[in-house]
Amino acid sequence: MAQRAIWLVSHEPGTPHGGTVRFSRRYPTVEKRAKTFNGSSYVPVPEDEPFCKALLFELRLLDDDKDFVESRDSCSRISKASVYGLPIEGRELWPVLALQKNGLIYVSVPLVEQALSTHPPLISISGISQAFDLLFGMIDFFDSGPKTEADLSTKVSQLPDLLLHVCPFGTLLDANFLLDNFSNLSVNQIPKQPAWKAGSYKGKPQVTVSITEKVKSMQYDKRDVADMWQVYGTITCKCDLEGVMPNVTVSLNLPTNGSPLQDILVHPCVTSLDSAVLTSSSVDIMDDSAFSGPYKFPFTPPLESFHLCYYTSQVPVPPILGFYQLKEEDSQLKITIHLKLHESVKNCFEYCEAHIPFYNRGPITHLEYKASFGQVEVLREKSLLVWIIGQKFPKSLEISLSGTVNFNAMGHQKQPVDTICIGGTTYVKLYFRIPDYTLTGCYADQHSVQVFASGKPKITTCRELISSDYYIWNSKAPAPVAYRSLFL
């Protein structure tokens, strides 16, 4: 479980090369191991300039790259896992993990401990999950604080020292780059104190486990376009425990009708893992394996709060199903919205709102509406209707809103503009939070947490479901398609 090389590339559209390598780090000892393991299929890590050019080409980020390239753009090369193969001197460097955010590309090449004549399943490469953790840690580090060029340069200059502590010799020990006390590490530390744990906790022992699930959805109410929804979960832990190396085991459980967890990515502090936990994957559509738990994660916790694991899940239905119809008649718009809460979902919200924006039309001058439930607020200058549903759906679990909206076209220049939402192409976006509930049914209680340390800790667990990019598109007009089913 090691990394051959790490890069930080700045994407610079309009420049001759399209981007610049801001930082790179190679691990020669890991590279020697790669040469031994890969044998005749070994491809050496290239220099920065050819690597940067190959990376930008693969990601279609070169300014003059407009043509279709079979080896890169064919349907067989669709990447669902941010893992790429780069053409290097007539051969392919694989696997290359690349994540993009805020104009920066974070790249790592993990070690594959076998021949690469054919690509092995990603789940069998132990360095893949560590590479993702490493890159996510770098993203958190560069996203913290101001985003000026001077701040970026300062953080780039700090990377070499940080990597000495979090990833010595290419082996990830801790993905947290935000610790501000790396400079205080001393060679005179207690011998048993690990390098990635810069201190020890003194005080009342307590453990907090939080499960946060975010559900995304794109709904169209059309026969030829499949609705899409998926759950993304994060387990966050904070362990205030005395001792140098306390051990904790957190078990995640599912009810009998729960949805299995997939694509599980764990923190480097996890000491061991049942292979069955990692077998279910959403990347391979032909993979019908399902492990329904319990999902056990033994680990030695760092001092700060950390994400124990990430996961996805394919739940059978979205929590709120709806349709939206908008028609333009004369100088006004007629809207109809219908929402239905699925009977299996907990009907107890902290908040639930439907935002109905109108782009490229000017401010709202008049509104007539009829709502079967909740209240409607008009933000005229923002050309936005906010349907405040509240904390509960009615007993029927179905609500509707209909009405007519008029606009002042003279104020169009000062109103929200969108290049996609033109004409009838528009949407309703839902915002909601359900405390003490997860869509998969995943939960952890006091009996799910085992602590092997001095003292009896206070154990706190909580969970929540939050909407994220939850769109319902106008069924009477074209809409951006997030996913089309391969099976008709």
Side-chain angles (χ1 to χ4, degrees):
M1 297 194 297
Q3 309 303 310
R4 296 170 59 185
I6 302 168
W7 287 268
L8 178 67
V9 179
S10 176
H11 179 217
E12 301 168 354
T15 60
H17 299 290
T20 304
V21 176
R22 303 295 296 262
F23 173 84
S24 65
R25 166 63 58 85
R26 292 164 176 78
Y27 296 97
T29 55
V30 182
E31 193 67 14
K32 289 183 179 179
R33 291 164 60 193
K35 189 173 184 180
T36 302
F37 283 119
N38 300 159
S40 60
S41 58
Y42 167 75
V43 178
V45 171
E47 296 297 323
D48 288 349
E49 184 175 345
F51 178 86
C52 182
K53 184 176 180 180
L55 176 68
L56 296 176
F57 170 82
E58 183 67 20
L59 299 180
R60 292 187 64 92
L61 295 178
L62 295 175
D63 292 339
D64 58 350
D65 186 11
K66 306 297 182 183
D67 298 328
F68 175 85
V69 180
E70 178 69 21
S71 61
R72 178 195 62 190
D73 302 324
S74 66
C75 293
S76 61
R77 289 294 301 273
I78 295 177
S79 174
K80 297 181 180 180
S82 301
V83 179
Y84 305 90
L86 303 188
I88 303 293
E89 298 180 354
R91 305 185 69 185
E92 184 186 58
L93 178 64
W94 185 93
V96 178
L97 275 66
L99 303 176
Q100 303 179 56
K101 189 168 186 181
N102 296 333
L104 294 176
I105 309 173
Y106 304 81
V107 191
S108 178
V109 178
L111 172 67
V112 180
E113 299 179 346
Q114 63 187 85
L116 292 174
S117 52
T118 59
H119 291 176
L122 295 180
I123 201 68
S124 67
I125 304 175
S126 57
I128 290 286
S129 60
Q130 284 206 353
F132 274 116
D133 262 343
L134 173 64
L135 298 184
F136 283 139
M138 291 177 63
I139 290 174
D140 290 341
F141 173 66
F142 280 92
D143 273 358
S144 63
K147 304 294 190 300
T148 63
E149 179 62 26
D151 183 72
L152 176 61
S153 299
T154 300
K155 290 183 176 180
V156 170
S157 66
Q158 294 172 347
L159 264 185
D161 290 335
L162 291 176
L163 286 172
L164 282 176
H165 295 291
V166 301
C167 193
F169 303 105
T171 301
L172 186 65
L173 298 180
D174 188 2
N176 187 3
F177 286 70
L178 300 178
L179 290 176
D180 57 1
N181 52 0
F182 277 117
S183 58
N184 297 327
L185 290 175
S186 170
V187 295
N188 298 320
Q189 287 178 315
I190 300 174
K192 293 184 179 180
Q193 188 81 9
W196 52 267
K197 196 171 184 180
S200 59
Y201 174 78
K202 297 293 183 182
K204 188 175 181 180
Q206 54 186 349
V207 176
T208 302
V209 179
S210 174
I211 305 175
T212 300
E213 287 189 353
K214 294 184 178 181
V215 56
K216 296 185 178 183
S217 182
M218 296 280 274
Q219 299 181 26
Y220 304 96
D221 190 33
K222 294 182 178 181
R223 289 185 177 182
D224 61 333
V225 182
D227 294 344
M228 182 278 291
W229 60 89
Q230 188 162 17
V231 173
Y232 300 84
T234 303
I235 311 299
T236 305
C237 294
K238 180 70 167 70
C239 301
D240 296 327
L241 301 171
E242 293 186 348
V244 176
M245 293 285 284
N247 293 313
V248 180
T249 298
V250 171
S251 298
L252 303 180
N253 302 284
L254 294 177
T256 54
N257 60 343
S259 300
L261 310 185
Q262 299 176 317
D263 307 324
I264 296 176
L265 178 67
V266 300
H267 191 275
C269 71
V270 175
T271 55
S272 64
L273 206 58
D274 188 338
S275 60
V277 174
L278 301 174
T279 55
S280 184
S281 170
S282 65
V283 175
D284 185 358
I285 61 175
M286 302 305 295
D287 181 13
D288 59 354
S289 60
F291 177 67
S292 56
Y295 304 85
K296 293 188 177 182
F297 302 94
F299 59 92
T300 301
L303 292 175
E304 69 285 345
S305 177
F306 68 100
H307 299 313
L308 176 63
C309 76
Y310 303 90
Y311 63 84
T312 68
S313 183
Q314 291 287 352
V315 295
V317 292
I320 299 177
L321 188 64
F323 73 79
Y324 175 35
Q325 294 181 353
L326 179 146
K327 298 179 182 179
E328 190 165 359
E329 296 183 3
D330 299 328
S331 59
Q332 63 183 11
L333 298 180
K334 288 190 175 183
I335 62 172
T336 302
I337 304 170
H338 186 86
L339 301 177
K340 180 179 181 180
L341 179 69
H342 193 268
E343 59 185 10
S344 65
V345 177
K346 182 180 179 181
N347 190 10
C348 184
F349 295 80
E350 180 179 305
Y351 58 84
C352 184
E353 296 180 354
H355 288 204
I356 312 156
F358 300 96
Y359 294 100
N360 312 308
R361 294 184 181 278
I364 297 174
T365 58
H366 182 69
L367 170 68
E368 292 184 4
Y369 71 91
K370 179 180 179 181
S372 66
F373 195 79
Q375 300 176 344
V376 176
E377 291 186 357
V378 183
L379 303 181
R380 299 182 184 277
E381 297 304 317
K382 294 185 178 180
S383 300
L384 176 68
L385 301 182
V386 179
W387 184 9
I388 303 175
I389 299 168
Q391 296 180 332
K392 273 182 176 291
F393 274 62
K395 290 184 178 180
S396 65
L397 302 181
E398 298 185 38
I399 57 176
S400 60
L401 171 67
S402 60
T404 58
V405 190
N406 296 80
F407 303 87
N408 177 14
M410 299 300 294
H412 172 67
Q413 289 77 8
K414 298 182 180 180
Q415 297 307 304
V417 177
D418 190 281
T419 56
I420 295 178
C421 296
I422 299 175
T425 302
T426 185
Y427 60 82
V428 174
K429 187 174 183 180
L430 299 186
Y431 296 84
F432 58 83
R433 177 181 181 271
I434 305 179
D436 194 27
Y437 177 78
T438 54
L439 204 55
T440 61
C442 180
Y443 69 93
D445 54 27
Q446 292 187 351
H447 304 291
S448 305
V449 181
Q450 293 179 298
V451 179
F452 304 94
S454 59
K456 185 177 181 180
K458 176 184 177 182
I459 298 175
T460 304
T461 62
C462 60
R463 58 179 182 165
E464 63 180 354
L465 175 68
I466 302 176
S467 64
S468 174
D469 298 333
Y470 205 104
Y471 293 96
I472 301 173
W473 289 89
N474 176 23
S475 61
K476 298 296 183 180
V481 178
Y483 173 79
R484 283 186 181 271
S485 176
L486 297 176
F487 303 97
L488 300 178

